[in-house]
Amino acid sequence: MYRTNTCGELNETNIGQTVTLAGWVQTVRDKGFVLWIDLRDRYGITQLVFDEQRTDKTLLEQARKLGREFVIQAVGQVIERASKNPNIPTGNIEILVKKLQILNASLTPPFTIEDETDGGEELRMKYRYLDIRRNPVKDKLVFRSKVAHLVRNYLSQEGFIEIETPVLIKSTPEGARDFVVPSRMNQGQFYALPQSPQTFKQLLMIAGMDKYFQIVKCFRDEDLRADRQPEFTQIDCEMSFVEQEDVLNTFEGMAKHLFKELRGLDFDKFPRITYAEAMRRYGNDKPDIRFGMEFVELNDELKNGSFKVFDEAELVVGINAEGCASYTRKQIDELTDWVKRPQIGSGGLVYVRYNQDGTIKSSVDKFYSEDQLKKVLEKTQAKAGDLILILSGKADKVRSQLSALRMELAERLNLRNPDVFAPLWVVDFPLLEWSEEENRYVAMHHPFTSPKPEDISLMETEPGKVRANAYDMVLNGNEVGGGSVRIFDRDLQAKMFDLLGFSSEDAEAQFGFLMNAFKYGAPPHAGIALGFDRLTAILGGQEVIRDFIAFPKNNSGRDVMIDAPSSIHQQQLDELGIGLKE
Amino acid sequence: MYRTNTCGELNETNIGQTVTLAGWVQTVRDKGFVLWIDLRDRYGITQLVFDEQRTDKTLLEQARKLGREFVIQAVGQVIERASKNPNIPTGNIEILVKKLQILNASLTPPFTIEDETDGGEELRMKYRYLDIRRNPVKDKLVFRSKVAHLVRNYLSQEGFIEIETPVLIKSTPEGARDFVVPSRMNQGQFYALPQSPQTFKQLLMIAGMDKYFQIVKCFRDEDLRADRQPEFTQIDCEMSFVEQEDVLNTFEGMAKHLFKELRGLDFDKFPRITYAEAMRRYGNDKPDIRFGMEFVELNDELKNGSFKVFDEAELVVGINAEGCASYTRKQIDELTDWVKRPQIGSGGLVYVRYNQDGTIKSSVDKFYSEDQLKKVLEKTQAKAGDLILILSGKADKVRSQLSALRMELAERLNLRNPDVFAPLWVVDFPLLEWSEEENRYVAMHHPFTSPKPEDISLMETEPGKVRANAYDMVLNGNEVGGGSVRIFDRDLQAKMFDLLGFSSEDAEAQFGFLMNAFKYGAPPHAGIALGFDRLTAILGGQEVIRDFIAFPKNNSGRDVMIDAPSSIHQQQLDELGIGLKE
């Protein structure tokens, strides 16, 4: 061992002891007659001191030559510090160094290893091993490991068994976007990397394992939206002989445990909201309920033959931006431009301003009487000083547009406090959604999701109206988990594949092994998968997942540190029996 | 929830209660007037009873129709059992069923779901989800999860942080046998799946993480010897500011913890043996020391101009098969044939039999006097009734042949008791071994392994003699873990690459990012990786790893259950920019 103690543990109780420390040189402060070094390791910082009076001259000279990030070993005596630093646990002591060894020199790092660094994102990614030395990054990785540890212990306590499912599996066209792996031993054939262990966890239920979980890497070769990773980690779970209620309670329990242990927070029962209600009240299936600003439908108040745009709209809907009556014309114009951007795609923004003095001003006041506008203020429960913002159009579209505006306003009004947590279950998702692209229904969750028993009769008549026993755990406007009760009846599963446009041959080819397994006594089962990267980031008070991943990839799926992916040797291609297309 | 209790928990304290159970029909025993069902779930078996007196007739008829592996839900009253079964925890009670629901029917399974099944290996693999229902398989998966749980909690307790390293990394020709993954977003380029997180864990040490571990999937596309898997799980660990001794102590501590918790065994300090000594005494770098039968070198006794074969041999070496003097001629001939098989490749086997009556008989007694043979018996510490078996030839080869014979004998003599555990450290491995194939030295452990400081001077003069700070944890004749102190000095690392025949360009291309990282203050570090599948199997009293893996692949790397690998659609190939060779 190169040390007797870490750089984070010595304090006044150790005064007088001779210790050996090892770590990195954080800073050297040389006052000539005295020289201090902040020595850093994973556990903290301890100050080393050298001075003309007490330190051997050669040693002082040696210390003088140390540069930032040199790795050194120092032997010395713990002494009381003259000018104490109350901000760090070792701040009352320092080490009067007697012996110094350079374990490794360092070039000057390309950016400062400080909490606030001068390095840009790209540079820090290239030198990720230096970036991790910085507390904000290191702490996130330690935090992540703590979350995993808590999750594992909680679920084990609850009787779950962690079972590893294979990484080299079979490609299913339904999934598209599979990463594939050519097999050398079976030339011309490919494995696929799992987008999730979905079928395996269902097989484990058929296998009688009853309660399964796994913290597991999953893979998706998709165009990466900002803050997505081609490989990501899931807390994957499945239970047998349970109903939706049991799954919700179990994982609500897990989430509460995490809130308590990591943030010291207690929660009552998480609120629940149906998908339909979430869309109606927030225009979003993962509403951020840290703040209100709920949708208020204004068809009755505003569709009355006064204003053509509204009359022709399917839905007129507004939100109350509390306290925003003071917004200037410029600010409102800005918001109007914002909703008209192609990403949002609204035709325009109507406002009704309820001034502090009780007067009302609106962009549509030539179409509506003051009484009519007052009705809008009443319906939206506006108080003097509030600003009502209204969009109109096709119901689905306008809800999604207003949801975006609601989030944008919350951002501007600082309502999205990362240290406030508002968990929520969204339930009763539709079973299917219509894909314009493929001109067929696709599974909203996945093809194994069970319809609600009372809606099964609708499967043939109005498939779009069938609700599923599917649920999402939403936290601060993010879907952190999603799951469903699974179909465990073979006939119902066949009907589902039929609805999704699979021929029975296709279904057999792709899911034959699972369909076959259903013949041998599948128990009722249900499960959930939580996005571990996202959950960890949010619990850590952040929304960006990248820093919670030790070695993340960039938006092009590249690891710029190791420079992957990269070309491989012709010989490797030959052995795999594949070639590159021109 | 479909049940109030599991099938493993009810006993006489529950008598009188009305309960709901759910599970699989293990057996139906129909005596006409009374019918019993063994209902099974993950937790155990509970007996259900139906009889003409107490059971509604329709219900009895319904029960009569149940088949093996049907999934049912039964409501009934816990009653005392007339004929108790002391072998199971629920053996004192049974459930008088009042209500029965078939949750799912089942075809007759292709093999019996019993501890001793009639299904062959291939069939059981195809229906792995049914095989897992059998206790011997289920218990192994539960055991595996327990091992992982203990490892994680132990290492966390010791201050290790679990950090996930990427699965999509960069191919290095040194590794060969990488699985590669074509990138759709970066056409013509490939990721590789890690054979181990070696470079990443070293980068984490450079990053200051100090103590890292991970239970992680690794991948190797190699011709599968029996009982190897293309994807396997490692307990991967690395520590900073430590020496070999620290690593050995830490992981010896972990192993002791596992022995204690899983098998109730206490161990003193694990024995240590150098590689050279292991080869001399056992002809093997992973000796099974559950039994003795150590090598006895007999050059002095037998190379004396009497017998040409021995005179010409570099090494004459024997073992004492205690109590085997009773072996018949036929048995000895069998052993002789065994060592002459091409897999072993010995020229022949010489024996010296020390009969119970004190007489000596040997296959070479025409070449040696009785006195000379007595010397052999003395040297091998033979007692009357023992049998000395002797091989000769080139030292390396004969040691490996005799090692195989030693293991074969141990097998025949039942000395390899799977419930006896003999852990051992093998240390001081050679740094390099000569590859005839490549006509160069290759790293015995890997290119980052540090030579022993006292041997560094030999690197240029006698590279083959340089010993490394490398160590293996050996358990019952299996290498369960291996590691080394790493090179942390850039110049030494460059010298090592040089010895391995890398041009500096090659080294730069393949390990540039690591070499570069070494410029910025790499701490001294060392680590170990343990084969989790193997370790678990041995701790579980088995040597075959396959049953400890939920969904293993066969010797051709195929998952016969899901039929992977398989061909993929032309469209997928096109999107990846690759084509199949004719």
Side-chain angles (χ1 to χ4, degrees):
Chain A
M1 194 73 88
Y2 284 76
R3 62 189 173 201
T4 57
N5 295 83
T6 70
C7 295
E9 64 182 338
L10 297 171
N11 56 41
E12 51 275 38
T13 66
N14 304 98
I15 287 170
Q17 293 174 6
T18 295
V19 298
T20 307
L21 298 184
W24 287 263
V25 172
Q26 173 87 19
T27 51
V28 181
R29 274 166 303 139
D30 188 352
K31 296 278 184 194
F33 62 98
V34 57
L35 180 147
W36 293 279
I37 289 175
D38 275 354
L39 189 66
R40 186 195 68 235
D41 66 11
R42 184 183 115 193
Y43 311 92
I45 281 181
T46 299
Q47 181 165 292
L48 310 182
V49 63
F50 306 76
D51 69 32
E52 283 183 342
Q53 284 189 312
R54 293 174 293 180
T55 308
D56 175 85
K57 198 168 174 198
T58 337
L59 186 58
L60 189 57
E61 281 316 305
Q62 201 191 351
R64 212 151 250 154
K65 286 186 196 128
L66 296 175
R68 281 200 287 136
E69 301 307 316
F70 274 45
V71 186
I72 62 168
Q73 184 186 43
V75 182
Q77 200 180 16
V78 184
I79 59 174
E80 189 174 1
R81 200 148 141 180
S83 117
K84 300 196 170 46
N85 178 352
N87 299 320
I88 58 172
T90 63
N92 290 343
I93 58 95
E94 59 192 355
I95 311 298
L96 181 61
V97 177
K98 301 289 183 201
K99 209 177 130 198
L100 187 65
Q101 197 193 340
I102 297 178
L103 298 172
N104 227 335
S106 173
L107 297 183
T108 304
F111 50 86
T112 55
I113 311 296
E114 304 274 356
D115 290 5
E116 298 290 330
T117 182
D118 54 355
E121 170 93 1
E122 186 77 7
L123 193 66
R124 289 189 290 116
M125 281 299 149
K126 187 167 159 57
Y127 293 92
R128 182 67 169 170
Y129 47 88
L130 297 180
D131 202 26
I132 295 174
R133 287 188 193 163
R134 298 171 52 239
N135 288 322
V137 183
K138 181 197 75 181
D139 292 346
K140 288 185 181 72
L141 298 182
V142 173
F143 183 81
R144 179 190 180 100
S145 88
K146 192 171 174 194
V147 180
H149 192 69
L150 288 169
V151 166
R152 283 200 164 94
N153 282 341
Y154 184 86
L155 292 176
S156 299
Q157 199 71 40
E158 294 286 311
F160 285 80
I161 304 286
E162 185 160 24
I163 301 174
E164 295 170 63
T165 53
V167 176
L168 297 171
I169 65 164
K170 185 177 177 156
S171 185
T172 61
E174 170 71 354
R177 301 310 172 227
D178 280 337
F179 281 107
V180 297
V181 182
S183 166
R184 194 173 50 85
M185 291 210 290
N186 305 273
Q187 284 210 356
Q189 300 193 328
F190 293 77
Y191 301 100
L193 304 181
Q195 297 190 33
S196 94
Q198 182 64 32
T199 47
F200 288 96
K201 68 177 175 176
Q202 293 197 244
L203 289 170
L204 285 171
M205 294 306 104
I206 296 172
M209 292 309 293
D210 206 275
K211 285 177 168 181
Y212 143 90
F213 87 103
Q214 190 182 191
I215 300 186
V216 60
K217 276 279 174 75
C218 300
F219 306 87
R220 205 171 295 152
D221 189 9
E222 64 189 345
D223 301 310
L224 300 168
R225 285 186 254 157
D227 210 29
R228 284 248 186 158
Q229 291 282 319
E231 55 179 297
F232 53 97
T233 305
Q234 255 181 221
I235 307 171
D236 194 52
C237 308
E238 197 79 8
M239 305 168 79
S240 288
F241 302 115
V242 293
E243 289 157 307
Q244 171 169 314
E245 190 63 26
D246 306 304
V247 179
L248 299 194
N249 288 338
T250 301
F251 291 91
E252 186 165 320
M254 185 187 85
K256 284 178 181 169
H257 180 68
L258 295 176
F259 282 125
K260 182 71 184 170
E261 294 294 318
L262 297 167
R263 314 280 319 199
L265 296 173
D266 289 298
F267 281 87
D268 285 337
K269 206 167 160 51
F270 291 0
R272 294 186 191 180
I273 185 174
T274 65
Y275 172 87
E277 200 185 344
M279 296 312 286
R280 196 172 49 73
R281 285 165 57 189
Y282 303 99
N284 199 315
D285 62 1
K286 41 179 198 284
D288 190 339
I289 59 165
R290 280 176 293 185
F291 55 96
M293 223 191 284
E294 288 190 27
F295 288 11
V296 181
E297 301 196 353
L298 299 166
N299 279 10
D300 291 349
E301 289 71 19
L302 296 174
K303 284 182 67 163
N304 51 14
S306 309
F307 180 41
K308 200 170 157 228
V309 172
F310 285 174
D311 290 341
E312 287 172 357
E314 185 185 355
L315 178 66
V316 180
V317 58
I319 49 176
N320 178 1
E322 291 181 22
C324 293
S326 57
Y327 268 29
T328 60
R329 182 62 200 226
K330 187 161 162 258
Q331 281 175 298
I332 292 178
D333 284 350
E334 235 176 64
L335 285 178
T336 307
D337 290 343
W338 193 89
V339 298
K340 287 166 96 172
R341 292 180 316 148
Q343 299 95 309
I344 310 295
S346 172
L349 177 68
V350 165
Y351 71 86
V352 182
R353 181 196 284 152
Y354 195 175
N355 292 316
Q356 282 292 4
D357 61 9
T359 60
I360 300 172
K361 168 75 190 146
S362 168
S363 49
V364 290
D365 46 17
K366 65 180 159 195
F367 301 109
Y368 295 98
S369 68
E370 184 156 326
D371 271 357
Q372 286 175 314
L373 293 176
K374 269 192 177 149
K375 290 242 164 63
V376 169
L377 295 180
E378 268 165 38
K379 183 84 176 277
T380 55
Q381 300 185 327
K383 304 172 304 296
D386 291 349
L387 177 71
I388 308 305
L389 297 169
I390 301 168
L391 296 179
S392 66
K394 221 171 149 320
D396 284 2
K397 284 210 171 134
V398 73
R399 284 192 175 118
S400 139
Q401 290 158 359
L402 191 60
S403 169
L405 178 62
R406 176 176 176 270
M407 295 304 275
E408 173 65 18
L409 273 168
E411 203 66 66
R412 293 179 185 215
L413 297 169
N414 283 320
L415 300 176
R416 307 196 65 194
N417 182 346
D419 294 317
V420 170
F421 297 92
L424 166 77
W425 288 107
V426 179
V427 298
D428 295 358
F429 273 78
L431 183 66
L432 304 164
E433 57 186 343
W434 183 258
S435 163
E436 295 289 347
E437 203 180 321
E438 308 189 40
N439 197 37
R440 64 174 180 97
Y441 280 107
V442 295
M444 187 130 181
H445 190 59
H446 59 59
F448 313 109
T449 299
S450 178
K452 283 193 170 291
E454 61 269 34
D455 287 4
I456 288 183
S457 59
L458 294 171
M459 283 177 81
E460 270 151 43
T461 52
E462 295 180 279
K465 289 209 169 154
V466 179
R467 291 165 307 159
N469 275 326
Y471 33 82
D472 277 357
M473 186 190 282
V474 171
L475 182 55
N476 294 4
N478 293 278
E479 180 210 322
V480 290
S484 63
V485 175
R486 322 302 182 185
I487 297 172
F488 68 103
D489 178 77
R490 208 166 169 262
D491 294 338
L492 183 56
Q493 186 66 65
K495 188 184 263 184
M496 181 71 180
F497 282 135
D498 194 42
L499 261 183
L500 295 173
F502 284 84
S503 70
S504 51
E505 292 73 37
D506 277 0
E508 177 61 32
Q510 284 175 44
F511 302 108
F513 59 95
L514 187 61
M515 299 290 280
N516 206 41
F518 277 127
K519 295 179 196 167
Y520 294 97
H525 58 292
I528 194 169
L530 297 106
F532 182 66
D533 305 298
R534 177 78 50 201
L535 179 65
T536 301
I538 298 175
L539 288 169
Q542 308 275 325
E543 298 227 333
V544 179
I545 65 174
R546 200 165 292 177
D547 272 350
F548 288 85
I549 297 170
F551 299 101
K553 294 187 171 59
N554 72 10
N555 284 349
S556 322
R558 294 201 70 82
D559 182 327
V560 296
M561 180 186 72
I562 60 172
D563 191 28
S566 61
S567 58
I568 60 175
H569 284 241
Q570 186 59 43
Q571 193 193 338
Q572 270 178 293
L573 293 171
D574 292 344
E575 286 200 9
L576 294 168
I578 59 175
L580 301 181
K581 294 242 167 95
E582 304 298 290
Chain B
M1 194 73 86
Y2 284 76
R3 61 188 173 203
T4 56
N5 295 83
T6 70
C7 295
E9 63 183 338
L10 296 171
N11 56 40
E12 51 274 36
T13 66
N14 303 99
I15 288 170
Q17 292 174 7
T18 295
V19 298
T20 307
L21 299 184
W24 287 263
V25 173
Q26 173 86 20
T27 52
V28 180
R29 273 167 303 141
D30 189 351
K31 296 277 182 195
F33 63 98
V34 56
L35 180 147
W36 293 280
I37 289 174
D38 274 355
L39 189 66
R40 187 196 68 236
D41 67 10
R42 185 183 114 193
Y43 311 92
I45 281 182
T46 299
Q47 181 166 291
L48 311 180
V49 62
F50 306 75
D51 68 32
E52 284 184 339
Q53 285 190 314
R54 293 174 294 179
T55 310
D56 176 84
K57 199 167 170 198
T58 339
L59 185 57
L60 188 57
E61 281 316 304
Q62 201 190 350
R64 212 150 251 155
K65 286 186 196 128
L66 296 177
R68 281 202 287 137
E69 301 306 315
F70 273 46
V71 185
I72 62 169
Q73 184 186 42
V75 183
Q77 201 179 13
V78 184
I79 59 173
E80 189 174 1
R81 201 146 137 180
S83 116
K84 300 196 170 48
N85 178 352
N87 299 320
I88 58 172
T90 63
N92 289 344
I93 59 97
E94 59 191 356
I95 311 297
L96 181 63
V97 177
K98 301 288 184 203
K99 208 175 134 198
L100 185 66
Q101 198 193 341
I102 298 178
L103 299 173
N104 227 333
S106 173
L107 297 184
T108 303
F111 49 87
T112 55
I113 311 296
E114 304 276 355
D115 291 6
E116 297 292 329
T117 182
D118 54 355
E121 170 92 3
E122 186 76 6
L123 192 66
R124 288 189 290 117
M125 282 300 149
K126 187 168 158 61
Y127 294 91
R128 182 67 170 171
Y129 47 87
L130 298 180
D131 203 25
I132 295 174
R133 287 188 193 162
R134 297 171 51 239
N135 288 322
V137 183
K138 180 197 75 182
D139 291 346
K140 290 185 180 72
L141 298 182
V142 173
F143 183 82
R144 179 189 179 101
S145 89
K146 193 169 172 196
V147 180
H149 192 68
L150 288 168
V151 166
R152 283 199 164 94
N153 282 342
Y154 184 85
L155 292 176
S156 299
Q157 199 71 39
E158 293 287 309
F160 285 80
I161 303 287
E162 184 159 25
I163 301 175
E164 295 169 64
T165 54
V167 176
L168 297 171
I169 65 165
K170 184 178 177 156
S171 186
T172 61
E174 170 71 353
R177 300 311 173 228
D178 280 338
F179 281 107
V180 297
V181 182
S183 166
R184 194 172 51 85
M185 289 210 291
N186 305 271
Q187 283 210 357
Q189 299 193 329
F190 294 78
Y191 300 100
L193 304 181
Q195 297 190 32
S196 94
Q198 183 63 33
T199 47
F200 287 97
K201 68 177 174 177
Q202 294 197 244
L203 289 169
L204 285 171
M205 293 305 103
I206 296 171
M209 292 309 293
D210 205 273
K211 285 177 168 182
Y212 143 90
F213 87 102
Q214 189 182 190
I215 299 186
V216 61
K217 276 279 174 75
C218 300
F219 306 87
R220 205 171 295 151
D221 189 8
E222 65 189 345
D223 300 310
L224 299 169
R225 284 186 256 158
D227 210 30
R228 286 247 187 159
Q229 292 281 319
E231 54 178 295
F232 53 97
T233 305
Q234 256 181 218
I235 308 171
D236 194 53
C237 309
E238 198 79 7
M239 305 168 79
S240 289
F241 302 114
V242 292
E243 289 155 308
Q244 172 169 311
E245 190 63 24
D246 307 304
V247 179
L248 299 194
N249 288 338
T250 301
F251 291 92
E252 186 166 320
M254 184 186 87
K256 284 179 181 169
H257 179 68
L258 295 176
F259 282 124
K260 183 72 183 168
E261 294 293 320
L262 297 167
R263 313 280 321 200
L265 297 173
D266 289 298
F267 281 86
D268 286 337
K269 204 165 162 53
F270 292 0
R272 295 186 190 180
I273 186 175
T274 65
Y275 172 87
E277 200 185 343
M279 295 312 285
R280 198 170 49 73
R281 287 167 54 189
Y282 303 99
N284 198 316
D285 63 0
K286 42 180 197 286
D288 190 337
I289 59 165
R290 278 175 296 185
F291 56 96
M293 225 191 284
E294 288 191 25
F295 288 11
V296 182
E297 301 196 351
L298 298 167
N299 279 10
D300 291 348
E301 288 71 20
L302 296 174
K303 284 182 68 164
N304 52 14
S306 308
F307 180 41
K308 202 171 156 224
V309 173
F310 284 175
D311 289 341
E312 287 173 355
E314 185 184 354
L315 178 65
V316 181
V317 57
I319 50 176
N320 178 359
E322 291 181 23
C324 292
S326 57
Y327 268 29
T328 61
R329 183 65 201 225
K330 189 163 161 253
Q331 281 176 298
I332 292 178
D333 284 350
E334 235 177 65
L335 285 177
T336 308
D337 290 344
W338 194 88
V339 297
K340 287 166 95 171
R341 292 180 317 148
Q343 299 94 310
I344 310 294
S346 173
L349 177 68
V350 165
Y351 72 85
V352 182
R353 181 197 284 153
Y354 195 174
N355 291 317
Q356 281 291 5
D357 61 8
T359 60
I360 301 170
K361 168 74 189 147
S362 168
S363 49
V364 289
D365 46 17
K366 65 180 159 195
F367 301 109
Y368 297 98
S369 69
E370 185 158 324
D371 270 359
Q372 285 176 314
L373 293 176
K374 269 190 178 151
K375 291 241 165 64
V376 169
L377 295 180
E378 269 164 37
K379 184 86 176 275
T380 54
Q381 300 184 328
K383 303 173 306 296
D386 290 352
L387 177 71
I388 309 304
L389 296 168
I390 301 167
L391 297 179
S392 65
K394 223 171 149 317
D396 285 3
K397 284 208 173 136
V398 73
R399 284 191 175 117
S400 137
Q401 290 157 357
L402 190 60
S403 168
L405 179 61
R406 176 177 176 270
M407 295 304 275
E408 173 65 17
L409 274 169
E411 203 66 65
R412 291 178 186 216
L413 297 168
N414 283 320
L415 301 175
R416 308 195 66 193
N417 181 347
D419 294 318
V420 170
F421 297 92
L424 166 77
W425 288 106
V426 179
V427 298
D428 296 358
F429 273 78
L431 183 67
L432 304 164
E433 57 186 342
W434 182 257
S435 163
E436 295 290 346
E437 204 181 322
E438 306 190 41
N439 197 36
R440 64 174 181 98
Y441 282 107
V442 294
M444 187 130 181
H445 191 59
H446 58 58
F448 313 109
T449 299
S450 178
K452 285 195 168 289
E454 60 268 35
D455 287 4
I456 288 182
S457 59
L458 294 171
M459 284 178 83
E460 271 152 41
T461 52
E462 295 180 276
K465 291 212 170 152
V466 178
R467 291 166 307 158
N469 275 326
Y471 33 82
D472 277 358
M473 186 190 283
V474 172
L475 181 56
N476 295 4
N478 293 280
E479 180 211 322
V480 291
S484 64
V485 176
R486 321 303 184 184
I487 298 172
F488 68 104
D489 178 76
R490 210 168 165 261
D491 294 337
L492 184 56
Q493 186 67 65
K495 188 184 267 185
M496 181 70 179
F497 282 135
D498 196 39
L499 262 183
L500 295 174
F502 283 84
S503 70
S504 50
E505 292 74 34
D506 277 0
E508 177 61 32
Q510 283 175 45
F511 302 108
F513 59 94
L514 187 61
M515 299 290 282
N516 205 40
F518 277 126
K519 295 181 196 165
Y520 293 97
H525 59 292
I528 194 168
L530 296 107
F532 182 65
D533 306 297
R534 177 79 51 201
L535 178 65
T536 300
I538 299 175
L539 288 169
Q542 309 274 326
E543 297 228 331
V544 179
I545 64 174
R546 199 165 291 176
D547 272 350
F548 289 86
I549 297 169
F551 299 102
K553 294 187 173 58
N554 73 10
N555 284 349
S556 321
R558 293 201 72 80
D559 183 326
V560 296
M561 181 186 70
I562 61 171
D563 190 29
S566 61
S567 58
I568 59 175
H569 284 242
Q570 186 59 43
Q571 192 193 337
Q572 270 177 293
L573 292 172
D574 291 345
E575 286 200 10
L576 294 167
I578 59 175
L580 300 183
K581 294 241 167 94
E582 304 300 289

